[in-house]
Every structure is written in structure tokens, then in C-alpha cells.
Amino acid sequence: IDAAIIVEPSNSASEVRLEEQISGMIAGETVERVQLGVREVELLVPNNSPLARHDIIPLDALTGVSVATVDRFHGVALSEALILRLSTAHADVVRCPEGNVLAIEQFGQAKGIAAVSLGWFQYYQGGSPGFVRRRVQQLQLFTHLNLIRLKGDHRPAADLLWAHAQERSQPAASADT
């Protein structure tokens, strides 16, 4: 791998991951990472939803609420962590025809229901008309946008990209992005 951008989940804004998914996929190889940023997983909710009245949604407010969520497209660790947390909150987990986060946000908007938002890939650049983004208290799920590569020699263009990313990288404990 010269370089790849991945979204890795964790329980906090630190570097601690739910699983070392990349290292496990590439047996015997060492993977380098440059963290580009950290975002807390949020919900995109309709303006007219009772959830929109909260600055931070209490976890118990999700009881019986339909929430569109990602599938394994963004990784098993993220998918299963979201489903576990939403199910524990007694939300009605909605599986969408397409499981990537852009499709999830679109689906939530089309159906008028809450949708998981990773914060990195927003369907509408200028915002989401008729919807607001809200943090969920006690959800405790973050995503790290990382550039990864295998240790070793790389093509000059890949080295240039890596150096550029390192110059702009964010400290692991910073969740202010």
C-alpha cells in the first residue's frame, strides 16, 4: 500500500481503537499512520424531531426512535459498535439499502428519520436543509481519519503525500476538528 485514507473507530478521542483492523488485515506487515483528525459520531436529526430540541441528545431519548446507520462498508468495528450502542439505547436500528455514510444521510433525509453522521462525509456541503447535527450523550464513539501505509520504500509521489499529511497532522488527543 502506498497510502490509503481510512476511518477508524474508537471509544475516545485518543488513539485507542476498538480493534486494530488494518494491522489484522495485513498479516506480518507494520502499518504507519498519520492522524488527519478526530470527530465524534453524531446524529443528523429532522428539525421537527423532539431530538432536535436537545443540544446534546440524552441516550435514553433514543428509545423507540428510528435511526439509520452504516453497515460494514466503513468497517466491522464501526458498524457493530454503532448497532450495539443504538440497540442498548432501545433505538429502532434501520438498515438502509446502501450502507455508506453518504447514503445513510441521504436516506435519513428522504425518510425524515435520524441518521448516523461520522462528520467527515456530509451529503450537503452547506449543511443539511431541515436537519441538525447533534451529539449523543454517552454514545462515546469517535472516528479517526487516518492516512496509512506499509513501512518501507514508496514511490516519490506517495512519499510527498505522506510528508504533506505529516505537516498537517493533528495530535491524537485533539477532538476539536
Side-chain angles (χ1 to χ4, degrees):
I1 296 175
D2 279 329
I5 293 178
I6 61 169
V7 176
E8 293 183 284
S10 72
N11 292 320
S12 69
S14 70
E15 279 290 331
V16 179
R17 286 176 189 73
L18 294 170
E19 70 174 50
E20 288 289 330
Q21 52 185 327
I22 297 304
S23 296
M25 289 185 342
I26 307 169
E29 298 292 343
T30 303
V31 176
E32 294 180 288
R33 286 179 175 81
V34 173
Q35 181 168 281
L36 303 175
V38 179
R39 299 259 168 95
E40 190 169 5
V41 173
E42 299 175 314
L43 290 183
L44 185 64
V45 299
N47 285 339
N48 61 356
S49 163
L51 298 176
R53 288 181 256 176
H54 299 281
D55 290 331
I56 299 175
I57 300 169
L59 194 61
D60 62 359
L62 296 179
T63 300
V65 173
S66 295
V67 180
T69 189
V70 298
D71 66 13
R72 294 176 175 205
F73 181 88
H74 294 291
V76 173
L78 179 60
S79 171
E80 290 184 1
L82 279 165
I83 290 170
L84 176 64
R85 285 165 169 86
L86 292 171
S87 296
T88 300
H90 304 288
D92 177 21
V93 176
V94 177
R95 306 228 184 208
C96 304
E98 293 182 55
N100 70 74
V101 77
L102 290 175
I104 298 304
E105 289 189 15
Q106 276 184 302
F107 184 86
Q109 290 172 331
K111 298 294 184 182
I113 63 172
V116 167
S117 175
L118 303 183
W120 301 109
F121 318 104
Q122 296 167 354
Y123 179 60
Y124 292 105
Q125 287 290 47
S128 303
F131 282 73
V132 293
R133 292 179 196 285
R134 295 288 186 258
R135 291 177 47 219
V136 179
Q137 190 176 38
Q138 299 172 330
L139 189 63
Q140 291 301 111
L141 193 57
F142 295 80
T143 56
H144 301 258
L145 188 66
N146 293 326
L147 181 65
I148 63 164
R149 71 177 182 180
L150 295 177
K151 286 188 174 182
D153 294 330
H154 299 277
R155 293 182 281 188
D159 283 334
L160 184 60
L161 173 66
W162 192 261
H164 185 72
Q166 285 181 312
E167 288 172 9
R168 287 158 179 73
S169 69
Q170 297 181 0
S174 174
D176 300 333
T177 59

